[in-house]
Amino acid sequence: MTGRPVKPGIAERAAALDHLLRVFRDRRMLADDSRARAGRNLDPAERAAAKRLAHSVLRRSDSLDEVLSPYLKRRPPLKIHLILKIVAAEILLGKTQGYAAVDCGVELSRRVSAVSGHHGMVNAVGRRMARDRDVIAPTGRLRPNALPSPLFREIDDRLGQDAVSRIERAHARPAPLDLTPRDRDARPDLAESLGAVVLPTGTLRISSPQGQVSGLPGYDEGLWWVQDAAAALAVPCLGPVRGNRVLDVCAAPGGKTMQLAAAGAILTAVDKSPSRLRRLKANLRRTGLAARTIAADALTWDPDSQFDVVLIDPPCTATGTMRRHPELQFIRDLDRIDDLVSLQAELLDRAAGWVSPGGRLVMSTCSLFSAEGEEQADRFLHRHAGWVIESPFDTLPGVPEDWMLPTGALRTRPDYWEKRGGMDGFFIARFRRLR
């Protein structure tokens, strides 16, 4: 960018553009706000606004392309095209006045391109969209992104078109901020101080979070951590763990680890990524919780003894988290998941050998693909005689019965609890090793 003076609002839009370039040019997940190149000098509220703007574009990227198409004779360079999508999102989906969105878009285009025709294009297209706003999106809404083709086929075949539409609508809505309290008895007081509601399962939910998470009451004291309501169900599926020897495999960034530690487990947490394990350790220090942590690849590591309980959250497509990470559909090749499915099976087989007779093994995947959930669990039982699936329903207060599958496993979806703000899609199964 040039050394021109920065107009108000330009810096956060530049940070939003930087986020979008990471997705559409670099095919990378959005970085933390603190690491975004264009957002380093922004205050927390501006960084959060930049992320919200980028997410707004990503959640309806397909529709924004359709809106822009009639106004463009040819597709402009990527940066200019993304600026136009930012302008379109602000005009059609946000509360920004049309003239302000166009003015900021023009200024941003001057900073990323020396070609004067690009500035003129952004100005002309933006003004025409602002003029046509009530025709393009009379209710301020645009069609949600369609599910990626492999995921569409999966959901349509298994659950039907109505479920496809509901999940697409869930992906189009900003996800609320979910928090797990360290002390469950403190939930009412924490909810009041945070302006949160307590969900039936015990998660604290802030519907419209503003600013930095670290600025919320109770963060410095370690009274809670960020964890989606669905992800927080895996540990309750284990049943009581106080005093049990528990192994958490693929543990980072540590939400489930902290749940286990808070529940009184004698805990070992293993993860192959040293950087992610450092983040887990930092979370444990902040919350005052304890666990033995080991940086190791679970495919080659072996413990000294067996455990009463093993929890494994193996790598997966993460398709259940698209509502929180809308960039996923633009960077993941969902036609090629066989390697992930094989890795999950190998990790499960190893984890099974670490469970003592009579012990429990919980598999949790944040995927909407049955190959990474229902089918994976079935194949595990076929490979391992002497194991059964147990229904954890009696240890899951607040969970509706229709979330439980006939096998006894738990399946959550983004469209569940729609009026409460939805949740991530997870498959969770509790296995028991027979004596």
Side-chain angles (χ1 to χ4, degrees):
M1 292 195 180
T2 70
R4 296 166 58 90
V6 179
K7 290 183 178 181
I10 295 297
E12 63 191 57
R13 288 170 174 84
L17 174 61
D18 190 62
H19 288 317
L20 294 172
L21 285 169
R22 289 183 64 82
V23 176
F24 291 105
R25 182 189 63 196
D26 303 335
R27 295 295 188 267
R28 294 174 63 186
M29 296 288 288
L30 294 184
D32 292 340
D33 291 328
S34 60
R35 287 180 285 172
R37 293 186 298 276
R40 286 175 180 164
N41 298 320
L42 300 183
D43 63 37
E46 289 173 323
R47 286 199 297 272
K51 184 67 73 66
R52 285 196 300 272
L53 181 53
H55 275 189
S56 179
V57 171
L58 290 166
R59 291 182 193 282
R60 287 183 169 82
S61 181
D62 295 347
S63 290
L64 292 172
D65 282 337
E66 292 172 6
V67 164
L68 285 168
S69 181
Y71 298 104
L72 299 173
K73 293 181 179 179
R74 58 184 178 276
R75 193 179 183 94
L78 177 61
K79 287 183 179 180
I80 300 301
H81 189 68
L82 292 176
I83 290 171
L84 285 169
K85 291 174 85 161
I86 290 172
V87 173
E90 291 200 278
I91 290 173
L92 302 173
L93 301 171
K95 299 179 181 179
T96 305
Q97 292 291 326
Y99 72 88
V102 175
D103 186 55
C104 286
V106 171
E107 178 64 17
L108 188 55
S109 69
R110 292 183 188 278
R111 292 176 169 272
V112 302
S113 174
V115 180
S116 60
H118 293 158
H119 325 154
M121 176 195 302
V122 172
N123 183 59
V125 171
R127 289 181 181 277
R128 289 174 65 191
M129 281 193 297
R131 181 197 65 199
D132 298 341
R133 180 190 185 283
D134 291 339
V135 176
I136 299 170
T139 63
R141 297 179 181 177
L142 293 174
R143 178 180 57 78
N145 287 344
L147 292 179
S149 295
L151 188 57
F152 173 89
R153 293 191 296 270
E154 165 86 12
I155 302 299
D156 189 43
D157 290 345
R158 186 156 51 91
L159 302 171
Q161 181 59 49
D162 187 53
V164 170
S165 298
R166 291 199 305 269
I167 291 173
E168 287 176 347
R169 289 198 302 269
H171 285 175
R173 291 188 294 268
L177 178 65
D178 286 352
L179 310 174
T180 297
R182 185 181 65 196
D183 180 359
R184 293 180 68 85
D185 293 336
R187 286 177 298 186
D189 292 339
L190 272 177
E192 183 176 359
S193 67
L194 289 161
V197 298
V198 182
L199 297 178
T201 52
T203 288
L204 306 181
R205 172 161 288 182
I206 302 175
S207 297
S208 300
Q210 302 293 324
Q212 289 284 88
V213 169
S214 58
L216 293 174
Y219 177 85
D220 290 335
E221 298 85 352
L223 300 182
W224 49 261
W225 53 90
V226 175
Q227 187 178 29
D228 185 82
L233 296 175
V235 168
C237 280
L238 289 164
V241 295
R242 183 169 297 279
N244 285 180
R245 293 164 297 135
V246 178
L247 176 64
D248 186 4
V249 185
C250 306
K256 300 178 185 69
T257 309
M258 288 181 285
Q259 283 181 284
L260 289 164
I266 303 168
L267 183 60
T268 299
V270 175
D271 198 277
K272 70 180 294 185
S273 168
S275 61
R276 284 167 57 84
L277 202 62
R278 284 194 293 271
R279 183 179 170 191
L280 182 151
K281 291 178 180 179
N283 283 328
L284 288 171
R285 285 194 298 271
R286 180 176 65 83
T287 55
L289 297 169
R292 178 190 179 203
T293 58
I294 299 174
D297 186 342
L299 290 176
T300 56
W301 174 78
D302 279 305
D304 296 330
S305 61
Q306 291 181 315
F307 295 84
D308 305 309
V309 176
V310 174
L311 171 64
I312 183 166
D313 190 353
C316 70
T317 57
T319 44
T321 69
M322 281 185 177
R323 59 195 276 279
R324 293 196 179 277
H325 304 290
E327 69 271 26
L328 274 168
Q329 73 177 93
F330 303 105
I331 64 176
R332 290 280 167 89
D333 182 0
L334 298 181
D335 284 309
R336 300 171 62 87
I337 70 170
D338 290 349
D339 288 346
L340 272 176
V341 171
S342 297
L343 173 62
Q344 293 155 14
E346 192 172 355
L347 286 167
L348 270 173
D349 290 347
R350 288 187 62 78
W354 301 332
V355 179
S356 59
R360 290 154 284 162
L361 168 66
V362 162
M363 177 190 80
S364 169
T365 56
C366 54
S367 171
L368 294 175
F369 283 109
S370 57
E372 299 182 288
E374 292 87 340
E375 295 173 21
Q376 189 70 266
D378 288 344
R379 288 192 294 268
F380 174 82
L381 291 175
H382 278 107
R383 291 194 304 272
H384 296 273
W387 285 82
V388 295
I389 284 187
E390 291 185 328
S391 172
F393 186 64
D394 58 344
T395 68
L396 293 172
V399 169
E401 192 169 358
D402 60 0
W403 294 5
M404 305 302 300
L405 301 174
T407 60
L410 172 67
R411 163 61 76 184
T412 66
R413 292 179 2 204
D415 56 317
Y416 285 176
W417 276 350
E418 181 176 1
K419 293 183 179 178
R420 290 188 168 109
M423 59 172 46
D424 286 349
F426 267 79
F427 175 86
I428 305 171
R430 182 173 85 188
F431 305 97
R432 180 175 291 276
R433 184 175 187 175
L434 302 179
R435 293 186 183 276

